[in-house]
Amino acid sequence: MQEAKKLHAHIIINGFQQQETYLLRKLITFLAISNPSSLNYARLIFDQIQHKSTFVYNTMIRAYFSSCNPQNSFVLYNQMHRNGRPSVDKYTFPFVLKACSVLGDIRKGEESHCQVVKNGFGSNVFVQNSLIHFYGSNAKINSARLVFDEMLERDVATWTTLVSCYANHGSIETAFKLFKEMPEKSVVSFSAMITGCVRKGRFNEALEFFRELQIRGLEPNDSTVMGVISASANLGSLDTGKWIHSYIRNKKGNDQFDSYMNTALIDMYFKCGSIKDAIHVFEGVEVKLVGEWTAMISGMAMHGFGERSVELFENMVELGVKPNAITFVGLLSGCTHAGLVEEGLTYFKRMKSEFGIEPTIEHFGCVVDLLSRAGLIAEAVTFMNNMPLKANAAIWGAVLNACRVHKNVEVGQLAARWLLREEPWNAAVYMSLLSLYTEADRWDDVVMVKREMKEIGSRKSPGCSLVEVNGVSYEFVAGDKSYPPALQVSLQIDESIKEVKEDYGNLWD
């Protein structure tokens, strides 16, 4: 920055401040794009130029859409449009449309689309791709598809953008179909599918796309890696998670990743049950930010080590790292699983008084769960009644589970009926209610619940198992014979039973 200011001083001394020069243009680009923290300084220089080119306008518009004040992109664009000089070009509209996407300003985006056509850029691939992204990211999938269908020329970015729109904001099945039809696929295309699959909970498919990417010899980017780590975490696929960790370690040549990557790895190892590996990643981070601390606090809570979550939180605060709302969800969860009622209530109060964090429904839910699990059902109900937010299904579900454990039929019935009003198809609620009545020897109510389930066609969800073999996860659902080896396994079991019968004869009966 100091060198940039020296250069600016030389430009002023030589009289190049009023008229835009090559040097001044390079300086603004550096300040606005390469170093976003100095964007205000770039704007000061920009405002002092009397005759501004389209290039320098585009540079500032581009810088603003990725800043904390993206609306300033519109201010500069309107200035160009109002003055008529300099004229807009094919690079102006993509930046403006990205600002519309960031702000979710549908009206401004549609106005920009009209200006695109009016200024003769309606057939430019770069501009059309930006239109697809704008409409798709704002869930206007039909409009995005219309732009795509009207294009005379499409490149790999065109296909990838539409695939991403469907994968993240529309039908994942349509995204699969489009991806298959793509004449050319890039690592960004695969990354879009992996990210979309993870967002839609299609984790096995995400790993399948990753394997196809490897077969094609494409090198994963950071977005791809983050998607695979997330899929591995949700599937509990430790082998795949370890492989991708080893891959990025070899790629970067060391264990020093950014905070997002470290946080994702810690979270993945905890979800895959490898506490040792999660701690190893955490301890290897030189500068630990709130993400790494939060992942450790939440992970320890997940595995029932609530006291360790509390210790980590206190260490974090002592080192001057400020917690966020997600940190407190993990901390309160840890207190819940460890039965630390007083500590949990104290931390809930400290959220706002000490750290200025406004509690959300998740934090209120943690407190209700904390009280309920401890058998303090009456206190939990009182807390719910005094909440500034309306209790949701997760909170009532926590109360119902606690009532089942502590045999509180009266409050359990209340919770179950609330849940069934919201989700009458939810078999899990009926099963909890059946368990509650069974424990209380209320057999007439058991019969009534079973009859009600039969009338509405609610059935208990079948059990399932997830097995990982050679890095591939296989899911087996009770009673499902659609999986190819299922028939073979059944025949082998039947054959084994037959052999046992022959060997033991009457003893089998």
Side-chain angles (χ1 to χ4, degrees):
M1 186 61 186
Q2 291 303 316
E3 294 299 322
K5 287 183 177 179
K6 288 179 184 178
L7 176 59
H8 187 203
H10 282 296
I11 292 172
I12 294 173
I13 291 171
N14 285 279
F16 298 138
Q17 180 73 356
Q18 301 301 318
Q19 182 67 37
E20 183 190 322
T21 64
Y22 174 78
L23 281 177
L24 199 57
R25 187 162 63 181
K26 282 289 186 181
L27 178 62
I28 289 176
T29 301
F30 166 74
L31 294 170
I33 306 299
S34 304
N35 192 3
S37 61
S38 55
L39 179 56
N40 290 336
Y41 192 83
R43 180 61 185 269
L44 289 174
I45 300 174
F46 173 86
D47 288 339
Q48 290 173 2
I49 300 173
Q50 290 182 355
H51 303 290
K52 305 177 183 70
S53 68
T54 303
F55 178 88
V56 78
Y57 262 107
N58 289 346
T59 301
M60 292 301 298
I61 291 172
R62 173 188 173 190
Y64 274 125
F65 91 72
S66 58
S67 73
C68 57
N69 296 304
Q71 61 275 10
N72 284 338
S73 293
F74 298 150
V75 174
L76 293 181
Y77 169 71
N78 289 336
Q79 192 178 104
M80 291 179 74
H81 185 65
R82 182 172 57 252
N83 296 338
R85 294 183 63 184
S87 59
V88 296
D89 64 12
K90 62 182 180 181
Y91 298 109
T92 307
F93 290 107
F95 300 142
V96 173
L97 288 166
K98 286 180 180 178
C100 294
S101 298
V102 170
L103 292 169
D105 193 331
I106 304 293
R107 178 174 164 274
K108 189 67 179 177
E110 291 175 338
E111 288 179 0
S112 300
H113 191 173
C114 293
Q115 290 298 321
V116 164
V117 176
K118 183 178 178 180
N119 285 274
F121 299 117
S123 59
N124 181 271
V125 174
F126 191 43
V127 175
Q128 288 174 311
N129 290 348
S130 299
L131 283 168
I132 293 172
H133 175 266
F134 160 70
Y135 285 121
S137 61
N138 285 282
K140 294 180 74 67
I141 305 296
N142 291 337
S143 297
R145 186 58 187 260
L146 185 62
V147 174
F148 177 85
D149 290 339
E150 290 178 348
M151 292 177 69
L152 300 177
E153 178 186 353
R154 303 181 185 119
D155 58 15
V156 65
T158 309
W159 286 89
T160 301
T161 303
L162 188 64
V163 164
S164 181
C165 292
Y166 274 107
N168 293 307
H169 306 286
S171 165
I172 190 70
E173 302 298 339
T174 305
F176 288 151
K177 184 175 180 293
L178 282 168
F179 184 83
K180 190 175 181 179
E181 294 174 358
M182 287 182 68
E184 180 186 354
K185 299 177 178 68
S186 67
V187 64
V188 181
S189 311
F190 279 96
S191 182
M193 287 306 305
I194 290 170
T195 303
C197 286
V198 169
R199 185 174 297 212
K200 299 289 186 179
R202 308 281 285 267
F203 307 115
N204 271 317
E205 285 96 332
L207 295 184
E208 287 172 9
F209 279 114
F210 178 64
R211 292 187 191 97
E212 185 181 343
L213 177 146
Q214 291 177 285
I215 292 169
R216 288 172 176 258
L218 296 173
E219 185 173 334
N221 57 25
D222 285 350
S223 177
T224 312
V225 170
M226 291 292 281
V228 174
I229 292 174
S230 180
S232 301
N234 284 281
L235 284 173
S237 181
L238 182 59
D239 286 348
T240 304
K242 282 187 172 182
W243 186 92
I244 197 69
H245 185 187
S246 176
Y247 173 85
I248 56 177
R249 185 193 295 121
N250 293 334
K251 181 182 177 183
K252 293 181 179 293
N254 54 53
D255 271 336
Q256 297 306 311
F257 313 135
D258 62 31
S259 182
Y260 294 107
M261 194 74 74
N262 289 326
T263 301
L265 286 168
I266 294 169
D267 177 66
M268 181 271 295
Y269 279 125
F270 271 122
K271 287 181 177 177
C272 291
S274 183
I275 300 174
K276 181 180 178 181
D277 285 315
I279 294 173
H280 178 74
V281 174
F282 179 75
E283 291 180 344
V285 179
E286 292 181 359
V287 181
K288 300 176 179 67
L289 303 182
V290 65
E292 288 93 344
W293 285 102
T294 298
M296 280 298 295
I297 291 168
S298 301
M300 287 297 179
M302 182 193 308
H303 287 275
F305 299 107
E307 293 88 351
R308 184 67 180 128
S309 292
V310 171
E311 290 175 16
L312 285 163
F313 179 81
E314 293 298 341
N315 290 341
M316 179 183 72
V317 174
E318 187 178 336
L319 290 170
V321 180
K322 186 178 179 181
N324 58 27
I326 303 173
T327 311
F328 275 98
V329 172
L331 179 62
L332 293 172
S333 178
C335 292
T336 298
H337 291 296
L340 305 174
V341 178
E342 292 302 322
E343 291 86 343
L345 294 175
T346 300
Y347 283 123
F348 180 75
K349 292 175 183 176
R350 287 177 64 187
M351 267 186 68
K352 188 172 183 180
S353 62
E354 185 175 340
F355 299 101
I357 299 173
E358 197 71 35
T360 65
I361 192 67
E362 286 81 11
H363 300 108
F364 286 111
C366 286
V367 175
V368 172
D369 196 21
L370 173 72
L371 295 170
S372 300
R373 284 179 185 243
L376 304 173
I377 307 294
E379 288 84 345
V381 173
T382 301
F383 181 84
M384 288 170 61
N385 291 334
N386 293 328
M387 279 169 30
L389 302 172
K390 184 180 178 182
N392 60 13
I395 292 178
W396 280 108
V399 172
L400 175 57
N401 288 330
C403 288
R404 181 174 55 82
V405 173
H406 296 285
K407 299 179 175 59
N408 189 321
V409 178
E410 183 180 352
V411 178
Q413 286 183 125
L414 179 67
R417 292 304 166 190
W418 188 95
L419 288 166
L420 290 173
R421 279 199 306 272
E422 298 295 315
E423 302 174 348
W425 44 265
N426 194 335
V429 178
Y430 283 110
M431 298 310 296
S432 295
L433 192 55
L434 279 173
S435 179
L436 180 69
Y437 285 141
T438 302
E439 291 289 335
D441 293 329
R442 294 178 56 164
W443 302 108
D444 289 341
D445 290 320
V446 170
V447 173
M448 179 193 69
V449 172
K450 287 184 176 180
R451 185 186 303 119
E452 189 174 335
M453 289 181 69
K454 187 175 181 180
E455 288 175 355
I456 67 170
S458 178
R459 298 179 62 185
K460 179 183 176 181
S461 299
C464 66
S465 299
L466 193 68
V467 180
E468 184 180 7
V469 180
N470 296 327
V472 181
S473 296
Y474 300 93
E475 187 176 32
F476 298 92
V477 180
D480 181 15
K481 297 182 180 180
S482 61
Y483 190 71
L487 179 59
Q488 182 182 352
V489 172
S490 298
L491 290 173
Q492 288 177 346
I493 292 173
D494 289 341
E495 188 65 29
S496 298
I497 293 173
K498 184 179 178 181
E499 291 177 2
V500 171
K501 283 185 176 181
E502 290 175 353
D503 291 341
Y504 289 91
N506 294 331
L507 291 177
W508 179 265
D509 298 327

